[in-house]
Amino acid sequence: MFSAYRTSVYSIASTASRRVYHHSVRSMKASVDGPTATGSASKIVAETATKESSSSSWAKENPFLFQLGVATVKTSAADLVAQTVAERKSLNEVDWKRNAIFVVFGFAYLGGFQYWLMVNKYRQWFPTMDRFAKLSFADKLKDTAGILDAMKMVVFDVTVHLPLIYFPTYYTVKEFVGGHSWNPLDWAKDGVSKYINNASEDLTAMIKLWGPSDCIQFVLPVHIRLPFRHIVSFFWTSYVSFTRGAIEDDTAAKPEPIKEE
């Protein structure tokens, strides 16, 4: 009986030992492989975060160049969308001369002049701009001076910048690219004349979009403001391209005057 008992004990001990051994091996393997896998995953996440942080920091450190590229590409792309989607043109039918209007306008005006106006000059005219932009939303609500300056920026944009600078410049650039004269005075005269004819419709559409958009733009951090404006401007430019982008043929045949007999 003792022999049977001893055999039973040995059997149980042997089974337990094997289980402990296998469990230990699995634990050791996990301890070796686990950190490696975890380390690899952590490394990938860290590298991705670093790349994203690097891109973000570059945009923050080079706001002018960043938004200049966005403005140029966006404006050209918006015109292409208007031509291929709204007007249902094939790529072979795209009016590249018309697209050039938006490339020039996007680069020189939206990317260049608009940055100078809304960042450099606004800093001088609205002294709370930078401080207000850095505040949290809750703190912005308590900053009366900052709110007043933001409201002034909105009013200036929709009553001075867009109607008196933006639209005349766009129509002038359009004449520069699509007109037949090499005289800058003719570009300005013809462009402003066409703007005056379309002013009622253009300004109504402008105030409907840019009024609400400006209320958001001028409370954002400074380095995000123009990229945000360019995003909104993509849809605005598509509208302008669709309604005002076509180059009129000024040399088209005109009805001949009635000859007197």
Side-chain angles (χ1 to χ4, degrees):
M1 182 172 178
F2 177 75
S3 177
Y5 171 77
R6 185 174 61 182
T7 301
S8 177
V9 170
Y10 285 162
S11 177
I12 293 172
S14 177
T15 302
S17 297
R18 286 195 301 270
R19 289 180 178 176
V20 170
Y21 170 78
H22 291 303
H23 177 72
S24 299
V25 170
R26 287 196 299 269
S27 298
M28 289 176 65
K29 186 176 181 181
S31 66
V32 173
D33 294 341
T36 301
T38 304
S40 298
S42 300
K43 185 177 180 180
I44 293 172
V45 171
E47 289 177 351
T48 303
T50 300
K51 290 178 181 178
E52 292 177 352
S53 176
S54 177
S55 300
S56 176
S57 62
W58 186 90
K60 191 172 182 178
E61 292 170 3
N62 303 274
F64 174 72
L65 292 177
F66 175 66
Q67 63 83 40
L68 182 67
V70 172
T72 306
V73 173
K74 171 269 304 181
T75 312
S76 175
D79 172 62
L80 289 176
V81 168
Q83 292 197 53
T84 58
V85 178
E87 300 172 27
R88 300 183 182 279
K89 293 181 178 179
S90 68
L91 288 178
N92 293 331
E93 297 172 326
V94 167
D95 185 345
W96 293 108
K97 190 173 183 180
R98 162 179 162 180
N99 189 257
I101 296 172
F102 291 92
V103 172
V104 172
F105 186 69
F107 178 84
Y109 185 90
L110 299 181
F113 173 80
Q114 192 170 245
Y115 182 90
W116 173 82
L117 175 68
M118 293 194 164
V119 176
N120 296 344
K121 300 308 293 182
Y122 273 25
R123 278 198 175 106
Q124 298 176 14
W125 299 337
F126 310 108
T128 67
M129 184 181 81
D130 287 299
R131 176 182 57 78
F132 184 72
K134 295 175 183 177
L135 298 176
S136 66
F137 182 74
D139 289 334
K140 281 184 172 72
L141 295 176
K142 303 173 186 177
D143 189 345
T144 304
I147 291 174
L148 288 175
D149 269 353
M151 291 174 62
K152 291 175 185 177
M153 290 184 227
V154 174
V155 172
F156 179 86
D157 193 39
V158 298
T159 62
V160 178
H161 170 224
L162 291 172
L164 302 182
I165 305 175
Y166 170 90
F167 274 118
T169 303
Y170 166 73
Y171 279 96
T172 300
V173 170
K174 183 179 177 182
E175 291 304 309
F176 160 66
V177 175
H180 301 283
S181 172
W182 290 99
N183 187 343
L185 293 178
D186 288 338
W187 305 338
K189 181 184 69 175
D190 295 343
V192 170
S193 177
K194 290 176 181 178
Y195 168 48
I196 291 173
N197 292 335
N198 298 328
S200 177
E201 185 178 348
D202 287 346
L203 295 179
T204 299
M206 176 270 292
I207 197 68
K208 288 180 179 179
L209 176 66
W210 289 111
S213 171
D214 281 354
C215 293
I216 299 173
Q217 176 187 336
F218 293 122
V219 299
L220 294 173
V222 174
H223 71 283
I224 297 177
R225 288 185 182 182
L226 284 180
F228 169 80
R229 189 177 183 89
H230 293 322
I231 292 173
V232 177
S233 180
F234 178 88
F235 300 99
W236 170 254
T237 303
S238 296
Y239 163 79
V240 172
S241 172
F242 182 67
T243 59
R244 302 286 180 253
I247 299 174
E248 298 88 350
D249 186 1
D250 295 331
T251 63
K254 299 179 181 179
E256 295 182 0
I258 300 175
K259 297 180 179 180
E260 296 182 2
E261 295 294 340

